[in-house]
């Protein structure tokens, strides 16, 4: 084809999924064509300028362990850091940070720019070029053609994007940004099915128009814990956030305006996330609540923009003005960007394999919000995995598929492709049945080898991990070997008045509720403990203190693996006696590759699994 | 899983669903694709031009194609899927006639492609098609094999959902606690109090008590479902058959004076306060010389092993013989009553010898001929079998080991969760056991998923930024 530009990988969209994908591809020596609508909006954070939290923070640690960039970027641009759930166990602690939105995007561009093999194209992809059921390339609105061996689509909220502000709606992928209106049609022609989702965002207020005395100050942590394993420490000064509340006057105002709400008048058809309700949603569903929380968060260190977290809305601008001004402290607040909702096309993710490659169109991958997820972290994780798998396929190597007991990333992808979604998908720790095994302190132990094998984790970083592992091992051995004698001064230090009846190793004592590794470390003055960094400390402590519970989870994993190992061959027919039509249709749609995955499909009963098992056994016998 | 899963394709099945020989009406049920078409080939409605309509009965005649003969008036009901017993297209044919006629129809249907249904296959399809849950499917099975009225009531209650109800309520409570505990972790930033002080532990304790109380119904439930074996043993002609008949209030066994008349064993079921009691009249422990006799002795020993109560009969008018001693020795550690029969005749049993072999509480003097002691005997039998258990007709009972195991494990998990909470560990540790309990109870009610938990969280709490 004359005039066509050829590359190895094409990435459509330069959001968080697209950027991770492009960077990974570039670092793995692939000639990468990154096509996006606007250079200024690369790595944009359209909603809360924050990274992390429960579940999401876990994802970022895993992205970092695999060699992705989100953790590092957050450490470099974060303006407030907090470790959540410090009062609870290690598996449910998670880092969260507010970042400087503009600087974040800048840092990402600075990371992508020097990559010699990323070719940035500012254009809109309007068509996919298919040869049979294999994708060959894309065509753009400006009339150019790009060909590649794999294409990763990370179009986010841009496909047939429709912005709603009150009863006015206009086309757009995000406020003040054009959407993409041709690609959906082209994908549909290729046999892919799309649905409609919606998401919303709150108004932005001018920093200087807020009366901060009416709010409670929320500060960051005193010694912030970095996101990335490679960051030694965070020295930047932290900003504060402001906690306030709505009130009954606000709620009355909102209730009066519901007939002008696109959500309540049915103008918005896409489904929104329940865990991120708009303020009108909250007011209608929970009328007995007299106040709802609102957090005022700075979008950047120098920025004049403040993000009003908790009052996401698609009500008309004049209504927003009214109700914002009824909030204590915001009487004179200036709205510099109104809240709005965006409806967009998404791809039903059950059409994807667990490598994020589409089942119908070979070499076409999807990652990010287009798969029905919400959140920068969820997007980044998918972008990384899609790129890695596209490249592994090109290299004719086995794919990288993470199991549910290995990583939250594994849970994310498995949930998407096996269960599909009914609302925008966000990660929570409650989605992890093996939560105790998937902690932030052991993300590297779980994943750094994979990143290294693939080529995204450098030799240096890998060696650094091995040194950490050695340090942890040494500390663990010490704790297991060193026995505390009864009546010794050490036993008094650790146990106070409680009497020790016989010698016990420190590791045993660590299991007791009142004893922490910190306490032991300060009592014994042992170099192998004192040398540990904070995260290494957490890692060593978790594995010993909660050994009993961790063992139980490992046993659960082994039991579940038996089902996973019952593979379902690609040619296996689900037309077997005893399966209801609905069950059969579900199985044929999703085509699970093993019995464990089949069991997770919604609507598949244990009885159906038993039947499948019988037929699989028979199938195996006949095949032999 | 049984053979229904392995036979053929998704094919239509048929079976006679009324018990053999009872009454003058028999019903054949067909289920599966094409049954209506099949029916159309052999059934002619009385009113010409009438067609089979869903949920309507149609009067007509069936013609057996092979013989060409016409079956006298039959009533055919058509149930269009999914609103039928199995969730598939169902046709029920009610007709007069002997089993011969019913079987002939069944054969015809088989020739047309509706194969004979396996035992429980209709109910199995109903379960697969979501027409009933597992507990209800089990209950149907129980009703069909129910031997007593009480059993039927319990089984019916299960079908109607007494146990289902209990389990669903249990699951609701548990899901609520799980939802709140998960929310305390994932939404800890919302400044929401998901539990009041000590609320979690108190709720779990209440749940644990509920489980204990239903576990205690298993013993009785099992009894009711399976029935009790009551074995009668004694020398030939000591009066076993008479006792059997007396308890049965019916003259079933052959009673003659020729020794060895009852060679094999007789079995029948009676109702005692709603509990099925299977009476077995055994051949005795005498080592037979012939093969059938040896076989009979083997059977006897087998039954004795299963018996909940053994009635040892002695003849008061004869001396204690070798065989008597053999029987007494064989049963000395078992739950037994030693009945000294024929006390209307002059006694020849040596009391001192007897007292060495039998405890006084186990002994009863009766005369089957005069009826002396029989009423008291019946009472004592009942007491010996059931002990002090009181049967309540409105409670939910556990009747299968599967149910008991699942609930017992759920109970243990909840106990573990309580201990973990008391140790001061945070929610994610407590949840390990709560999810286990949820999984066990789910075996009885149906699987719940993480989406069910999120449904609960988001409908109860205004959270999310």
């Amino acid at each position: 084809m004359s005039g066509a530009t050829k590359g190895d990988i094409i990435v459509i969209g330069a959001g968080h999924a697209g950027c991770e994908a492009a960077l990974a591809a570039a670092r793995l020596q692939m000639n990468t064509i990154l096509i996006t609508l606007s250079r200024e909006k690369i790595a944009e954070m359209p909603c809360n300028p924050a990274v992390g939290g429960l579940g999401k923070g876990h994802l970022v640690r895993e992205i970092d362990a695999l060699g992705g960039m989100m953790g590092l970027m957050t450490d470099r641009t974060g303006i407030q850091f907090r470790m959540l759930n410090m009062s609870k166990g290690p598996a449910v602690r998670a880092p969260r940070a507010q970042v400087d939105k503009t600087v974040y995007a800048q840092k990402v561009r600075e990371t992508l720019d020097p990559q010699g093999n990323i070719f940035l194209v500012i254009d809109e992809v309007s068509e996919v070029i298919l040869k049979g059921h294999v994708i060959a390339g894309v065509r753009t609105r400006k009339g150019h053609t790009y060909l590649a061996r794999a294409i990763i689509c990370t179009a986010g909220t841009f496909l047939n994007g429709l912005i709603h502000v009150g009863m006015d709606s206009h086309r757009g992928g995000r406020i003040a940004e054009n959407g993409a209106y041709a690609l959906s049609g082209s994908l549909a022609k290729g046999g892919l099915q799309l649905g409609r989702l919606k998401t919303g965002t709150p108004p932005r207020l001018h920093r200087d128009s807020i009366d901060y005395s009416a709010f409670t100050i929320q500060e960051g942590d005193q010694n912030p814990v970095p996101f990335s394993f490679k960051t030694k420490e965070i020295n930047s000064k932290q900003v504060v956030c402001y906690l306030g509340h709505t009130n009954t006057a606000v709620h009355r105002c909102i209730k009066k305006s519901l007939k002008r709400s696109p959500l309540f008048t049915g103008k918005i058809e896409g489904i929104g996330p329940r865990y991120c309700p708009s303020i009108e949603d909250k007011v209608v569903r929970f009328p007995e609540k007299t106040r709802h929380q609102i957090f005022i968060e700075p979008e950047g260190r120098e920025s004049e923009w403040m993000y009003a977290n908790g009052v996401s809305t698609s009500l008309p601008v004049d209504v927003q003005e009214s109700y914002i001004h009824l909030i204590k402290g915001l009487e004179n607040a200036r709205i510099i960007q109104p809240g709005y909702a965006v409806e967009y096309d998404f791809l039903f993710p059950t059409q994807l394999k667990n490598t994020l490659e589409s089942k119908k169109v070979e070499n076409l991958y999807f990652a990010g919000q287009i798969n029905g997820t919400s959140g920068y972290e969820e997007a980044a994780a998918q972008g990384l995995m899609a790129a890695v798998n596209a490249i592994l396929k090109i290299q004719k190597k086995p794919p990288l598929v993470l199991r549910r007991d290995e990583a939250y990333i594994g849970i994310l992808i498995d949930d998407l492709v096996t269960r599909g979604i009914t609302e925008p998908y966000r990660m929570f720790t409650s989605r992890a049945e093996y939560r105790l095994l998937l902690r932030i302190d052991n993300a590297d132990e779980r994943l750094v080898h994979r990143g290294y094998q693939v080529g995204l984790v450098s030799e240096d970083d890998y060696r650094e991990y091995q040194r950490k592992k050695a340090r942890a091992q040494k500390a663990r051995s010490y704790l297991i070997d060193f026995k505390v004698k009864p009546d010794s001064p050490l036993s008094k230090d650790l146990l106070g008045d409680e009497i020790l009846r016989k010698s016990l190793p420190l590791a045993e004592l660590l299991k007791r509720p009142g004893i922490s590794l910190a306490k032991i470390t300060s009592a014994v003055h042992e170099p192998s403990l004192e040398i540990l960094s904070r995260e290494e400390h957490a890692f060593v402590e978790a594995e010993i203190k909660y050994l009993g519970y961790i063992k139980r989870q490992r046993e659960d994993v082994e039991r579940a693996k038996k089902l996973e190992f019952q593979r379902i061959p690609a040619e296996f027919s689900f037309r077997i006696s005893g399966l209801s039509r609905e069950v059969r249709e579900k199985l044929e749609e999703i085509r699970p590759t093993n019995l464990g995955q089949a069991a997770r499909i919604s609507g598949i009963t244990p009885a159906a699994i038993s039947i499948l098992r019988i037929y699989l056994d028979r199938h195996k016998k006949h095949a032999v | 899983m049984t053979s229904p899963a392995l036979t053929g394709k998704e094919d239509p099945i048929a079976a006679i669903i009324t018990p053999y020989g009872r009454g003058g009406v028999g019903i054949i049920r067909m289920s599966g694709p094409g049954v209506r078409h099949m029916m159309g080939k052999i059934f002619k409605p009385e009113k010409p031009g009438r067609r089979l309509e869903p949920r309507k009965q149609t009067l007509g005649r069936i013609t057996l194609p092979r013989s060409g003969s016409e079956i006298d008036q039959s009533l055919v009901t058509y149930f269009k899927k999914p609103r039928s017993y199995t969730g598939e297209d169902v046709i029920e044919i009610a007709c007069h006639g002997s089993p011969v006629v019913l079987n002939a129809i069944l054969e015809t249907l088989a020739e047309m492609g509706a194969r004979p249904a396996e035992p429980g296959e209709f109910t199995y399809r109903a379960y697969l098609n979501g027409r009933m849950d597992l507990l209800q499917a089990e209950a149907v099975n129980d009703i069909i094999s129910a031997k007593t009225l009480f059993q039927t009531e319990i089984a019916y209650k299960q079908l109607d959902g007494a146990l289902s109800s209990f389990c669903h309520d249990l699951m609701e409570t548990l899901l609520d606690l799980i939802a709140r505990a998960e929310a305390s972790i994932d939404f800890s930033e919302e400044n929401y109090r998901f539990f009041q002080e000590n609320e979690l532990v108190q709720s779990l304790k209440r749940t644990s008590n509920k489980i204990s109380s239903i576990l205690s119904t298993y013993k009785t439930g099992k009894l009711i479902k399976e029935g009790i074996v009551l074995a009668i043993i004694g020398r030939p002609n000591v009066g076993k058959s008479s006792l059997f008949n007396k308890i049965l209030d019916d003259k079933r066994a052959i009673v003659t004076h020729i020794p060895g008349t009852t060679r094999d064993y007789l079995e029948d079921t009676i109702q005692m306060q709603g509990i099925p009691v299977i009476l077995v009249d055994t051949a005795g422990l005498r080592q037979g010389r012939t093969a059938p006799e040896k076989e009979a002795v083997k059977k006897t020993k087998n039954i004795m092993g299963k018996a909940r109560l053994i009635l040892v009969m002695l003849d008061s008018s004869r001396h204690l013989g070798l065989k008597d001693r053999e029987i007494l020795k064989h049963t000395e550690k078992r739950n037994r009553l030693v009945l000294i029969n024929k006390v209307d005749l002059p006694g020849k049993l040596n009391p001192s010898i007897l007292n060495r072999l039998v405890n006084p509480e186990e002994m009863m003097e009766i005369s089957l001929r005069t009826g002396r002691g029989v009423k008291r005997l019946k009472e004592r039998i009942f007491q010996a079998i059931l002990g002090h258990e009181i049967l309540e007709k409105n409670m939910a009972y556990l009747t299968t080991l599967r149910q008991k195991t699942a609930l017992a494990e759920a109970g243990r998990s909840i106990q573990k969760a309580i201990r973990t909470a008391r140790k001061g560990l945070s929610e994610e540790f407590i949840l390990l056991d709560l999810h286990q309990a949820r999984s066990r109870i789910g075996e009885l009610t149906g699987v719940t998923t993480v989406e069910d938990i999120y449904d609960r969280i988001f409908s109860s709490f205004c959270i999310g930024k």
Side-chain angles (χ1 to χ4, degrees):
Chain A
M1 205 173 277
S2 66
T5 309
K6 284 204 187 101
D8 295 314
I9 307 267
I10 292 174
V11 179
I12 305 174
H16 301 281
C19 290
E20 289 283 357
L23 181 65
R27 291 173 60 209
L28 292 176
Q29 316 307 327
M30 296 281 136
N31 287 323
T32 311
I33 303 170
L34 177 59
I35 308 179
T36 186
L37 290 169
S38 143
R39 193 188 142 78
E40 292 71 41
K41 294 293 180 180
I42 291 177
E44 164 82 355
M45 289 187 172
C47 205
N48 197 347
V51 172
L54 272 305
K56 290 164 177 279
H58 292 77
L59 285 171
V60 178
R61 273 277 166 99
E62 291 176 3
I63 291 169
D64 184 72
L66 286 170
M69 67 169 147
M70 188 167 253
L72 277 169
M73 297 292 111
T74 307
D75 287 339
R76 287 200 201 134
T77 63
I79 57 180
Q80 193 207 58
F81 291 81
R82 292 175 59 233
M83 181 63 83
L84 306 180
N85 280 344
M86 277 311 286
S87 61
K88 301 196 205 280
V92 298
R93 287 180 208 148
R96 188 183 181 276
Q98 296 288 132
V99 302
D100 189 317
K101 206 173 121 155
T102 332
V103 180
Y104 187 96
Q106 189 194 322
K107 286 273 177 264
V108 170
R109 283 200 303 273
E110 283 171 17
T111 308
L112 295 177
D113 281 344
Q115 299 291 335
N117 40 9
I118 295 183
F119 180 40
L120 182 65
V121 172
I122 308 298
D123 202 341
E124 177 193 330
V125 171
S126 54
E127 210 185 314
V128 287
I129 302 169
L130 301 182
K131 296 227 151 60
H133 63 90
V134 183
I135 193 167
V138 300
R139 236 172 248 127
T140 68
R141 179 177 277 243
K142 286 185 187 159
H144 301 303
T145 301
Y146 299 91
L147 303 173
R149 296 152 84 183
I151 286 129
I152 304 174
C153 180
T154 70
T157 61
F158 283 69
L159 296 188
N160 287 333
L162 190 62
I163 308 266
H164 297 272
V165 186
M167 298 306 280
D168 296 326
S169 51
H170 61 271
R171 305 207 318 177
R174 293 191 286 235
I175 200 125
E177 293 182 59
N178 290 327
Y181 299 91
L183 186 55
S184 287
S186 180
L187 291 172
K189 266 203 224 126
L192 295 165
Q193 292 185 319
L194 304 166
R196 205 106 172 110
L197 287 176
K198 85 129 178 131
T199 188
T201 197
R204 308 305 202 261
L205 310 173
H206 196 287
R207 172 191 60 188
D208 302 333
S209 63
I210 299 173
D211 175 13
Y212 295 100
S213 65
F215 293 87
T216 314
I217 289 181
Q218 191 196 57
E219 296 188 359
D221 286 344
Q222 290 277 19
N223 286 307
V225 177
F227 276 80
S228 173
F229 289 102
K230 301 183 268 281
T231 308
K232 290 284 171 260
E233 57 178 2
I234 301 205
N235 287 318
S236 52
K237 187 162 176 295
Q238 297 197 67
V239 306
V240 299
C241 294
Y242 304 93
L243 167 63
H245 294 96
T246 60
N247 51 56
T248 47
V250 170
H251 301 171
R252 267 198 305 272
C253 171
I254 289 170
K255 274 191 237 177
K256 273 203 300 228
S257 318
L258 289 177
K259 53 188 176 308
R260 298 169 63 201
S261 153
L263 190 65
F264 284 92
T265 55
K267 201 157 176 257
I268 295 180
E269 289 167 355
I271 305 159
R274 283 179 297 184
Y275 49 82
C276 207
S278 58
I279 185 68
E280 50 269 35
D281 231 333
K282 294 187 200 181
V283 160
V284 167
R285 281 174 45 216
F286 296 92
E288 68 284 355
K289 281 202 84 172
T290 53
R291 56 186 215 169
H292 295 283
Q293 265 187 316
I294 166 173
F295 278 90
I296 309 290
E297 298 163 347
E299 290 207 331
R301 237 182 250 290
E302 317 291 317
S303 176
E304 291 171 336
W305 291 48
M306 303 298 276
Y307 180 91
N309 197 340
V311 287
S312 174
T313 184
S314 55
L315 286 167
V317 182
D318 59 289
V319 177
Q320 294 186 39
E321 298 264 347
S322 307
Y323 80 69
I324 290 284
H325 293 150
L326 288 169
I327 296 174
K328 191 152 180 283
L330 300 181
E331 293 85 351
N332 297 309
R334 194 150 56 92
I335 299 182
I336 38 185
Q337 184 184 292
Y340 67 92
V342 58
E343 249 187 301
Y344 55 97
D345 285 346
F346 80 102
L347 182 90
F348 290 105
T350 47
Q351 301 174 93
L352 303 174
K353 301 182 192 170
N354 55 14
T355 53
L356 297 178
E357 185 185 12
S358 72
K359 292 174 186 166
K360 280 221 170 94
V361 180
E362 200 177 330
N363 298 333
L364 175 58
Y365 294 74
F366 288 85
Q369 200 142 349
I370 190 175
N371 286 340
T373 59
S374 102
Y376 318 133
E377 305 87 344
E378 288 84 345
Q382 291 171 71
L384 182 62
M385 293 302 283
V388 165
N389 277 311
I391 294 163
L392 287 172
K393 188 175 179 202
I394 289 173
Q395 296 173 335
K396 298 209 195 332
K397 290 189 185 147
L400 177 62
V401 176
L402 298 171
R403 293 192 313 266
R404 296 184 74 95
D405 58 281
E406 284 181 299
Y408 275 93
I409 297 179
I411 293 172
L412 169 63
I413 295 178
D414 183 60
D415 277 350
L416 291 177
V417 310
T418 305
R419 292 209 186 110
I421 57 145
T422 50
E423 64 175 337
Y425 180 100
R426 184 197 140 160
M427 186 53 75
F428 295 110
T429 66
S430 44
R431 296 196 191 273
E433 57 271 36
Y434 306 114
R435 187 164 34 195
L436 295 196
L437 303 179
L438 306 180
R439 311 184 304 271
I440 54 170
D441 60 73
N442 68 0
D444 53 355
E445 189 200 37
R446 289 181 277 124
L447 297 171
V448 98
H449 324 276
R450 313 291 220 134
Y452 181 64
Q453 270 169 344
V454 163
L456 287 175
V457 170
S458 69
E459 199 64 52
D460 282 342
D461 286 337
Y462 190 58
R463 240 176 270 136
E464 179 54 45
Y465 162 72
Q466 290 181 314
R467 280 193 288 267
K468 163 188 165 168
K469 192 160 171 211
R471 283 194 292 271
Q473 198 36 49
K474 200 149 174 247
R476 202 179 291 135
S477 303
Y478 170 79
L479 291 168
I480 292 173
D481 294 335
F482 186 98
K483 292 197 168 63
V484 180
K485 295 201 186 68
D487 296 330
S488 61
L490 182 57
S491 84
K492 209 153 286 171
D493 273 346
L494 293 175
L495 298 169
D497 292 329
E498 197 195 319
I499 299 173
L500 192 59
R501 244 162 286 174
K502 58 174 184 158
S503 286
L504 282 181
L506 283 169
E508 271 311 302
L509 292 178
L510 181 54
K511 291 187 186 157
R512 297 189 185 190
I515 304 202
S516 67
L517 187 56
K519 194 170 184 186
I520 291 178
T521 309
S522 57
V524 296
H525 307 301
E526 160 65 26
S528 65
L529 297 182
E530 285 168 354
I531 199 180
L532 297 175
S533 72
R534 226 173 353 171
E535 281 306 282
E536 288 164 14
H537 199 103
F539 174 58
V540 172
E541 184 177 48
E543 294 273 328
I544 295 179
K545 200 168 177 58
Y546 302 104
L547 183 62
Y549 294 99
I550 289 175
K551 261 201 185 137
R552 264 181 67 179
Q553 292 253 269
R554 294 218 170 102
E555 282 162 18
D556 289 340
V557 171
E558 287 311 306
R559 258 194 300 266
K561 270 200 184 140
K562 290 206 188 99
L563 275 185
E564 299 286 314
F565 285 147
Q566 294 234 264
R567 305 215 58 81
I568 301 178
E571 70 278 5
F572 186 81
S573 164
F574 291 111
R575 292 185 169 269
I576 55 192
S577 166
L579 292 183
S580 74
R581 189 170 47 89
E582 289 103 328
V583 164
R584 192 177 7 108
E585 281 174 354
K586 275 235 158 79
L587 290 169
E588 282 168 351
E589 183 204 330
I590 296 185
R591 288 228 70 95
T593 53
N594 61 65
L595 215 51
Q597 187 187 10
R600 290 194 293 278
I601 300 174
S602 69
I604 307 294
T605 60
I609 296 297
S610 301
I611 292 171
L612 264 182
R613 190 184 273 136
I614 294 174
Y615 274 85
L616 280 173
D617 285 342
R618 260 172 82 191
H619 187 273
K620 249 193 290 188
K621 285 202 185 95
H622 285 291
V624 163
Chain B
M1 274 281 136
T2 61
S3 45
L6 295 174
T7 42
K9 313 159 256 25
E10 208 179 64
D11 48 358
I13 52 179
I16 300 167
I17 59 175
T18 41
Y20 263 43
R22 301 253 194 100
V25 176
I27 302 181
I28 291 177
R29 177 192 287 146
M30 298 162 65
S31 175
V35 293
R36 189 153 172 250
H37 179 72
M38 259 181 249
M39 210 49 221
K41 289 214 189 113
I42 60 173
F43 178 72
K44 206 166 77 164
E46 288 295 342
K47 278 214 184 107
R50 253 209 85 159
R51 312 185 72 227
L52 291 177
E53 281 171 52
R55 310 208 141 229
K56 290 226 162 79
Q57 292 173 317
T58 308
L59 199 61
R61 287 162 199 270
I62 293 177
T63 306
L64 301 179
R66 205 186 268 177
S67 59
S69 59
E70 240 185 22
I71 308 290
D72 199 33
Q73 282 201 335
S74 315
L75 204 59
V76 170
T77 315
Y78 167 49
F79 298 92
K80 190 169 169 175
K81 69 173 183 189
R83 293 178 64 211
S84 69
Y85 184 76
T86 57
E88 303 171 320
D89 277 342
V90 167
I91 291 205
E92 290 184 1
I93 307 165
C95 54
H96 306 118
S98 56
V100 174
V101 168
L102 289 170
N103 275 310
I105 299 178
L106 216 53
E107 262 173 47
T108 309
L109 293 175
E111 276 162 29
M112 290 198 288
R115 67 168 168 81
E118 305 272 341
E121 200 171 359
F122 292 115
T123 305
Y124 177 59
R125 288 190 181 192
Y127 165 63
L128 279 185
N129 287 328
R131 296 292 290 165
M132 55 177 79
D133 70 33
L134 202 52
L135 281 174
Q136 289 171 317
E138 273 180 348
V140 171
N141 199 38
D142 286 353
I143 282 188
I144 291 172
S145 36
K147 291 183 163 85
T148 70
L149 201 57
F150 189 55
Q151 253 189 353
T152 315
E153 279 181 44
I154 289 190
Y156 183 72
K157 272 207 167 337
Q158 192 169 328
L159 186 64
D160 208 9
L163 185 60
S164 273
S165 246
F166 175 89
C167 290
H168 280 112
D169 285 344
L170 199 62
M171 182 61 101
E172 288 287 300
T173 308
L174 192 57
L175 277 181
D176 178 65
L177 294 176
I178 287 175
R180 292 201 261 162
E182 293 287 5
S184 317
I185 294 173
D186 284 326
F187 297 100
S188 52
E189 292 283 288
E190 298 277 338
N191 257 330
Y192 228 109
R193 268 195 102 196
F194 293 101
F195 289 109
Q196 299 303 315
E197 184 75 43
N198 225 15
E199 191 186 348
L200 177 58
V201 170
Q202 294 309 324
S203 275
L204 287 176
K205 281 209 276 193
R206 277 195 299 269
T207 304
S208 174
N209 289 338
K210 284 210 189 108
I211 293 179
S212 298
S213 65
I214 201 161
L215 281 176
S216 64
T217 67
Y218 175 61
K219 200 158 148 230
T220 311
K222 186 162 185 277
L223 226 60
I224 292 167
K225 182 184 154 110
E226 294 172 5
I228 296 161
V229 174
L230 181 63
I232 307 177
I233 190 165
R235 258 192 336 199
N237 271 11
V238 71
K240 298 194 298 297
S241 304
S242 307
L243 176 62
F244 194 89
N245 291 341
K246 215 42 174 214
I247 299 178
L248 266 187
D249 277 331
D250 185 14
K251 293 206 189 307
R252 285 285 295 275
I254 313 157
V255 187
T256 64
H257 293 291
I258 306 165
T261 313
T262 328
R263 267 196 188 279
D264 208 353
Y265 64 91
L266 281 176
E267 182 181 302
D268 211 318
T269 308
I270 58 167
Q271 246 198 76
M272 277 192 167
Q273 303 267 83
I275 297 192
V277 178
I278 303 163
L279 276 175
V280 184
D281 174 6
T282 64
L285 295 172
R286 176 181 49 177
Q287 275 305 107
R289 259 161 278 151
T290 68
E293 281 171 349
K294 286 202 178 116
E295 191 56 37
V297 170
K298 209 164 138 212
K299 271 189 192 162
T300 300
K301 286 200 168 145
N302 193 353
I303 288 162
M304 302 265 286
K306 283 199 230 160
R308 173 94 163 188
L309 177 67
I310 299 173
L311 298 178
V312 177
M313 287 192 76
L314 301 174
D315 188 339
S316 167
S317 66
R318 313 262 292 274
H319 290 294
L320 203 65
L322 262 179
K323 278 126 197 154
D324 294 320
R325 286 176 192 265
E326 205 175 73
I327 291 171
L328 284 174
K329 187 147 198 303
H330 189 84
T331 60
E332 71 184 335
K333 298 225 171 66
R334 306 292 309 282
N335 189 16
R336 69 179 179 186
L337 285 177
V338 178
L339 307 178
I340 301 158
N341 194 20
K342 306 192 188 177
V343 291
D344 51 309
L345 299 174
K348 288 232 186 92
L349 273 179
N350 189 332
S352 55
I353 301 178
L354 198 58
N355 285 329
R356 256 184 283 136
L357 298 170
V358 185
N359 283 329
E361 316 87 67
E362 294 176 313
M363 275 196 274
M364 277 189 81
E365 291 184 348
I366 60 175
S367 163
L368 288 171
R369 188 141 57 94
T370 65
R372 171 174 158 189
V374 171
K375 183 155 171 256
R376 216 166 38 92
L377 171 61
K378 282 192 181 175
E379 282 168 12
R380 278 209 68 182
I381 290 175
F382 183 65
Q383 219 183 30
I385 291 174
L386 279 185
H388 300 286
E389 284 155 52
I390 302 168
L391 304 174
E392 282 178 58
K393 293 204 174 166
N394 293 314
M395 263 171 66
Y397 285 89
L398 297 181
T399 58
T400 70
L401 188 60
R402 182 184 78 92
Q403 293 159 6
K404 173 172 180 262
T405 315
L407 283 173
E409 282 175 21
R412 276 193 290 272
S413 291
I414 297 203
Q415 285 300 323
K416 276 201 234 166
I418 293 174
R419 278 198 296 274
T420 305
R422 287 216 171 108
K423 272 198 256 181
L425 287 164
S426 50
E427 294 85 353
E428 70 274 22
F429 298 102
I430 303 170
L431 280 163
L432 284 184
D433 291 303
L434 293 186
H435 282 299
Q436 273 279 66
R438 167 173 81 99
S439 179
R440 290 286 90 77
I441 298 172
E443 285 170 28
L444 301 182
T445 61
V447 179
T448 57
T449 66
V450 81
E451 280 311 317
D452 296 314
I453 295 170
Y454 291 141
D455 283 344
R456 233 161 256 276
I457 293 178
F458 296 119
S459 59
S460 318
F461 305 108
C462 185
I463 47 185
K465 334 188 215 176

